[in-house]
Structure formats: C-alpha cells, structure tokens
Amino acid sequence: MRKNLKYNLSWLLLAVAVYLGIFVLKSVGLLSGIVEDTLSLIGINVILAVGLNLIIGFSGQFSLGHAGFMAIGAYATAIFTQIQSTYTGFLLSILIGVGITIVVALVVGIPTLRLKGDYLAIATLGIAEIIRILIVNGKDDLSQGIFATGGAAGVFGIVDYANWEVIYIFMVLTTIIIANFIHSSTGRTVLSIREDEIAAEAMGVNSTKVKVLAFVLGAATASIAGSLHASYIQTIVPGDFGFMKSVDILIIVVFGGIGSLTGSFVAAILLGILNHVLRNVQAISDYRMIVYALALIIIMIFKPGGLLGKKELSMKKLFQRIGKGGKENASVDR
Amino acid sequence: MENILQQLVNGLSLGSIYALIALGYTMVYGIIKLINFAHGEIYMLGAFIGYVFIQYFHLPFFVALVGAMICCAGIGVLIEFLAYRPLRGSTRIAALITAIGVSFLIQNVMKLRFFAGAEPRAFPQAIEQKMIEVGPIMVSNIQLLILGTTVVLMLGLQIIVMKTKMGKAMRAVSVDADAAMLMGISVNQTISFTFAIGSALAAAGGVMIGLYYNSIDPMMGVTPGLKAFVAAVFGGIGLIPGAALGGFSIGLIETFVSASSIEGLSAYKDAIVYFILIIVLLIKPTGLLGKNTKEKV
C-alpha cells in the first residue's frame, strides 16, 4: 500500500506539473488562443481514446459506436444547461449524461456483447446510428418537450463552462479511474477475457458481466467527453457524432497502440498537433485530409501494432530503473 | 395492393444496388477476413469513371458500364497490392484502419478541384427514362435495366465462383489459405482476382445509381457503403447468397418504411434498418444464412 502511494503520488505530481507548465506558459503569453484550442481538443480526445481503449484494447471487444455515447453526454449538457445555466447545472448535466449513458450501455451491452468480432462492431455501429437518428428527429425547443435536440440544425449557444482547465481535470480523473480499474482484480479478469475468453470462463470468470462492466465504464467516459465537447465548442449538430467520429477515436486508439493507455495519450497529442499544423498552414490546408489519410496508411503498414504496441509508461518500473542504475529494461509494462 | 407492388419494384431496384456492393464486401471478407471500408469509394469511383466515359467520350451506356467495371477492377487490385498486401500477416484491426485510411484518401483526392471537386455533378442521361405500365404499377425502364443487369452480373458471379478454376481457387483460399497454397494455388493471385471481381461489381452499381439518381459526388459512397456492409452482415458475411439476400432485404425494408402510411416513420428509416439488423444478429448471431461454428479449444 505504501509503495503504491509513492507511485500514485508521483503520477499526481506529474499531472500537477503539466498543469502548472501549461498555466505558466499561458500567463507568460507564449500560448496563443489557437494553441490553447488545440490543447483542449487534445484533452477531449484523450478522454475518448482512453475510454475506447478500455473497450477495444483491454477487454478485446470491437466497438464502432463510441460517438453515440459521446452524443448522449453532449446533448444532456446542451439541453440541461438551458434549464439551469449555472456551473452546478453544468456539472449536474455531466452526471445526467453519464447516468443516461450507463442505462443505454447496459440495455445495449447485455444482449450485444454476446456477439463476437465484426458482428459486435456492426451492432455497436448500428446503435450509434440509431442514437444519432433519434437526435436528428428530436423536438425543436424546450417548449415542445424535454427531448429538445434541435433536430438536424443542432443546439447552439451552450454555456461555456468547459475551458482547458476543466477539460484537463476531467482528463486526469477519467484516466485515473480507468487505469485503476485495469490494475484492479476485476481489471485482470477483463484482460483474461481479451487473451482467451474460453479459458477465462473455464477459470470461473463471468465473462458477460465483466465485458459489460468494461463497456459501460468506457461509454460513461465517452459521455463525459461529449459534455465537455458540447460546452467547449458551444455548438453541436448530430452530424458531429456520426460514424466518422467513432472512426476518428478508433484511429487514435490504434495509432497509439491497442491496449496501451500511454499510447492513447501519445497518439492523441501527436494527431492533435498534426491536425493543428495541417489546419493552420495555408499552403497545405487543402491537402489536410490527404496527408492525414496517407500518414495513417503508412504507419499501419510499417508499425501495425501502433506506436507503442502494448507498452506503458510505468512509474514503478521507472523507479526500479533509477534504483538499479538503469540495468533493467524499464518503462515496459503491461 | 397496387402500392405494395409498386414499392416492391422500387425496393428491389434499390436493393439490387446494395446487393452489388455487398457482394464485393462479402467476397473480400470471405477470403481475407477484412472489412474493406474503401469499397464504398470504389463504387463512387465507378460512378465517376462512367460519368467521364459518357460525358466526354460519348460512349453508349453499356460500353461505359463495362469500361468503368474494368477500370475499377484495376483500381481494386492496385489498392490491395499497395495497401492491404503488406499487412497480410498483421492484426485484423490494423488492416481495418488501413482500409479506413484508403477510404479517406480516395474521398479527399476526389474532392480536390483537379479531379472532381466537392460539388455534386449531374450524371448525363445516357438512356432516356420511360415509364412502362405493367398492369396496375409503373416501372421505369431504368429500374428494369438495374434489376436486369444485377441479375445477369449475379449469375455471372455464380458461374465464375462455382464453375471456373479460379472460382474453385477462391473457395479453397477462403476455407484455408495455407492448405490452398500447399495444393499449388497462388494465394496472392486469387486474392487479387477477388478484389477485381468485387470492385467491378461495385463499379457497376455506381454507374447505375448515377443513371438512376442523376447526381454523383465524392461522398456518395459513404452511406451506401455502410448500408451494403450492413446488408452483408445481415445475410451472413462471407457468403455470396447471403450478400444478395441481405442487399435485397435492406432495400425492401428501407423502401417500405419510407413509403409507409404511418406519419413521421420515414424519418426513422435508417434507424429501423439498424434495429432490425441488431435483432437479427441477436437471434442468429452469424446472419440469416450463416452457420454457427463450434469454437474449439
């Protein structure tokens, strides 16, 4: 317990140090608005990617519907903050989004997680599309009922409580929750299902229950990311949460390494920077998506396991390495 | 009753396009277990190549159709060679991401002004639309052409797969690639051939949808591509009759939902398609025609 405290403390210190770093850079004036914007979007993408990585990388279930759960959170915030546009209202709306998402993920997950591989992928894709179509067909404004999603035009003028600091805090929180879940005993049963479901069941793991648990947890973080996205961008349309968004998140996960939380961080940051550069350099902005697509293909051909594979940055190994003078191959941990 | 018959015809012509695209999905899946997300883009390229042939070279419709099929067969083989072959040994999810990358690449290259531009274009009316009265219902000659061409292509595909040596090789590779190689089958050639056939079918669908709907654009492949994939899974992915059945079913469901007299239901037509798909998968997890295989430890 005490040993773990040391590692947890060092993680916390790292998180605070990064926060202070950004804060200082910003107050000195080295961070322009565009860079801050990029940082916030990276933060939201990290939350999404870490959640999806839990589902795909750690429990081994192929979900193509992550954007659907994000949409639930985004619209929960968009609608509820119209009723109560205070800071508490914003936080409450996140909770409401998470609550609805958990219910939906349970209803959807219990039957569909029996499916395997591509069949599960297409079922989750279908669910995300159903959510999106329900939102497109929602009411125009609150006078017509609570499901006021504004239809295809979406909702605009959402209160902007989510600045980069709020996003950063939520990013750290969701990552801590998911990382601790993976390292808990339930987390180990999740990993065992990824490795071999039949063997895990033979050892007494209730595979459906564990898979649903991982799925629900991943979905709940997606909902949080959706709420932050809605409040940060302030305008949401159903088209934001289509199949392409799910693919975007999937790309971050696979690019970083399926089954590596560190990888999801690295990939979200690298792709965020790539997007930033491609969007803001005039000469190549027309070719943004082409460069993005080519980069994706080339990385997959030359590094099909993603940038980090299954490697994680682990404080424990780092300390051991420092302690033993770098003899062991550190920072390699599952 | 007349209305039902009328919608049946509309649904079948839409369904045959889905079936043509789904066949390519299912063949590629059957042979290398890859969801080829770039398949919808091949369909879009087919429509554009047909457009160029008719608009600029003034070729007759069927020559343009065959020309587009041949060009797309080449493109399909090229994509497989450049993007998928290097990934043959790696994980399926890596191959899937590459397929998505290829799909993005084709869409965005076509969106450049040098190629097609993002704006939709009007497809030339190579065949004038005529309405034919068959008993109580109206059928356009284009619908008949779509249905007829689809049936001919499906029969052709069935003959290729079942009667030719290449077809036998395809079936062998899809059952067990390693064993097929030991029997002297060139696996790479067989996979290239599968991509060629699948892409040609998608191109045919693209040219015919251009003629039917009159408008083509670089993003036209996304939704039909997704629907065709749903169709392939619906019928049981990897099975050629399954893709045909799935395509026609999805087309019919969609048409009947959008034509139904219940108010406001048509806005939910895609949701209903996905809902039925999920129900089918829950009852029969390998699709309508799929067989359950026992997992061996």
Side-chain angles (χ1 to χ4, degrees), chain A residues 17-33 35-36 39 164:
Chain A
V18 171
Y19 173 83
L20 286 178
I22 298 174
F23 187 79
V24 167
L25 278 178
K26 194 175 170 255
S27 22
V28 176
L30 278 172
L31 284 186
S32 65
V35 176
E36 195 188 320
L39 282 179
W164 74 268

Side-chain angles (χ1 to χ4, degrees), chain B residues 119-135:
Chain B
E119 298 302 309
R121 293 178 180 223
F123 199 86
Q125 286 311 85
I127 294 176
E128 208 180 323
Q129 183 158 354
K130 284 194 206 101
M131 300 306 279
I132 306 162
E133 237 171 281
V134 186

Side-chain angles (χ1 to χ4, degrees), chain A residues 62 118 122 137 258 289 300, chain B residues 29 87 92-93 96 229 267:
Chain A
F62 192 9
D118 304 311
I122 196 76
N137 289 298
I258 301 168
M289 285 308 289
M300 278 303 119
Chain B
Y29 188 89
L87 282 159
R92 282 173 55 191
I93 199 161
L96 178 76
F229 176 46

Side-chain angles (χ1 to χ4, degrees), chain A:
Chain A
M1 190 63 215
R2 251 180 139 186
K3 264 186 185 165
N4 278 335
L5 189 70
K6 185 166 102 181
Y7 307 132
N8 287 340
L9 262 182
S10 51
W11 274 117
L12 194 66
L13 278 178
L14 185 68
V16 172
V18 171
Y19 173 83
L20 286 178
I22 298 174
F23 187 79
V24 167
L25 278 178
K26 194 175 170 255
S27 22
V28 176
L30 278 172
L31 284 186
S32 65
I34 305 169
V35 176
E36 195 188 320
D37 196 45
T38 304
L39 282 179
S40 307
L41 294 180
I42 287 175
I44 293 174
N45 278 337
V46 166
I47 301 178
L48 289 166
V50 167
L52 187 64
N53 209 342
L54 173 67
I55 301 173
I56 294 188
F58 292 94
S59 74
Q61 307 304 312
F62 192 9
S63 163
L64 275 180
H66 215 55
F69 298 116
M70 187 185 170
I72 295 178
Y75 275 91
T77 295
I79 294 169
F80 190 73
T81 48
Q82 283 174 31
I83 302 169
Q84 198 172 356
S85 56
T86 57
Y87 202 83
T88 334
F90 168 63
L91 293 178
L92 262 179
S93 78
I94 294 180
L95 279 182
I96 292 172
V98 169
I100 299 172
T101 304
I102 287 175
V103 173
V104 173
L106 274 177
V107 170
V108 162
I110 292 172
T112 54
L113 283 169
R114 291 187 308 150
L115 300 171
K116 293 208 162 61
D118 304 311
Y119 291 99
L120 176 64
I122 196 76
T124 48
L125 164 64
I127 286 149
E129 283 292 296
I130 291 173
I131 293 173
R132 192 179 64 82
I133 293 162
L134 287 179
I135 289 171
V136 170
N137 289 298
K139 300 278 186 290
D140 282 336
D141 59 73
L142 277 170
S143 57
Q144 291 167 309
I146 188 73
F147 194 58
T149 58
V155 184
F156 46 86
I158 304 164
V159 285
D160 59 336
Y161 286 125
N163 51 11
W164 74 268
E165 285 155 313
V166 175
I167 292 172
Y168 186 81
I169 291 168
F170 273 104
M171 183 188 86
V172 172
L173 274 180
T174 51
T175 310
I176 288 175
I177 291 172
I178 288 180
N180 277 313
F181 175 73
I182 291 165
H183 292 116
S184 69
S185 67
T186 322
R188 286 182 210 285
T189 58
V190 169
L191 291 181
S192 74
I193 287 171
R194 176 189 71 184
E195 297 302 327
D196 192 333
E197 193 171 336
I198 297 173
E201 274 186 346
M203 299 307 288
V205 174
N206 182 347
S207 71
T208 309
K209 191 181 132 195
V210 174
K211 278 194 284 186
V212 169
L213 196 63
F215 186 71
V216 167
L217 187 55
T221 54
S223 164
I224 295 175
S227 294
L228 295 173
H229 172 92
S231 180
Y232 184 75
I233 309 274
Q234 290 177 276
T235 304
I236 50 172
V237 289
D240 292 346
F241 309 105
F243 173 59
M244 278 300 147
K245 186 68 200 179
S246 295
V247 168
D248 273 350
I249 309 165
L250 179 69
I251 285 171
I252 299 175
V253 171
V254 176
F255 183 71
I258 301 168
S260 163
L261 294 184
T262 321
S264 293
F265 268 81
V266 172
I269 292 167
L270 282 182
L271 289 178
I273 293 171
L274 181 68
N275 254 327
H276 175 84
V277 172
L278 292 175
R279 189 172 293 147
N280 292 305
V281 177
Q282 236 356 276
I284 49 172
S285 63
D286 274 1
Y287 300 94
R288 184 169 76 92
M289 285 308 289
I290 296 177
V291 175
Y292 195 72
L294 271 179
L296 206 62
I297 298 171
I298 290 167
I299 287 166
M300 278 303 119
I301 289 178
F302 292 104
K303 227 164 167 358
L307 285 179
L308 293 190
K310 283 179 182 168
K311 290 178 198 140
E312 293 278 17
L313 174 69
S314 152
M315 285 294 171
K316 199 171 174 180
K317 291 284 164 80
L318 211 61
F319 279 121
Q320 278 170 5
R321 188 182 188 174
I322 295 164
K324 287 179 186 170
K327 267 181 197 167
E328 258 181 79
N329 188 12
S331 75
V332 182
D333 188 27
R334 276 267 261 288

